[in-house]
Amino acid sequence: MQTAKNTPHSFKALVAANRAAGRLAEPVAPEPKKRMEQTGMRLWPEELSQARELAASEDRSAASFMRRIYLRGLEGYLAERGAGTATQ
């Protein structure tokens, strides 16, 4: 039968020992990620139904489909104004 070691170490003690020996760097906070913001879009019921049907036919969520259509429309709008392409 095996016996436990006589010198149990806590996790905190092991971390402190490794930091002191230079084998463990200080933790670094993760950089915040860009997040999309929810916005409201008003559509007539027929327009919303059509958007949902088209989204389903492409195996997309309605929100993903509408964002894609918005970006395509924005690109065309900016091209008409001579502002170049849209940035994401």
Side-chain angles (χ1 to χ4, degrees):
M1 179 190 276
Q2 293 181 351
T3 59
K5 292 183 179 180
N6 293 339
T7 56
H9 294 287
S10 72
F11 180 73
K12 287 183 180 181
L14 290 172
V15 169
N18 279 307
R19 281 199 182 122
R23 293 187 298 260
L24 187 63
E26 290 292 324
V28 177
E31 292 186 29
K33 294 181 181 179
K34 269 188 178 179
R35 292 188 165 199
M36 289 186 177
E37 293 185 33
Q38 186 174 356
T39 61
M41 178 185 281
R42 293 182 179 267
L43 296 173
W44 292 108
E46 300 81 22
E47 294 169 340
L48 183 56
S49 291
Q50 184 181 26
R52 286 180 174 156
E53 288 173 17
L54 291 169
S57 72
E58 294 185 13
D59 292 326
R60 293 178 168 269
S61 68
S64 170
F65 176 80
M66 286 186 253
R67 179 175 185 271
R68 184 171 168 227
I69 295 303
Y70 162 78
L71 291 172
R72 289 178 70 181
L74 179 62
E75 186 176 296
Y77 174 77
L78 293 174
E80 287 175 5
R81 293 187 64 204
T85 59
T87 59
Q88 293 185 6

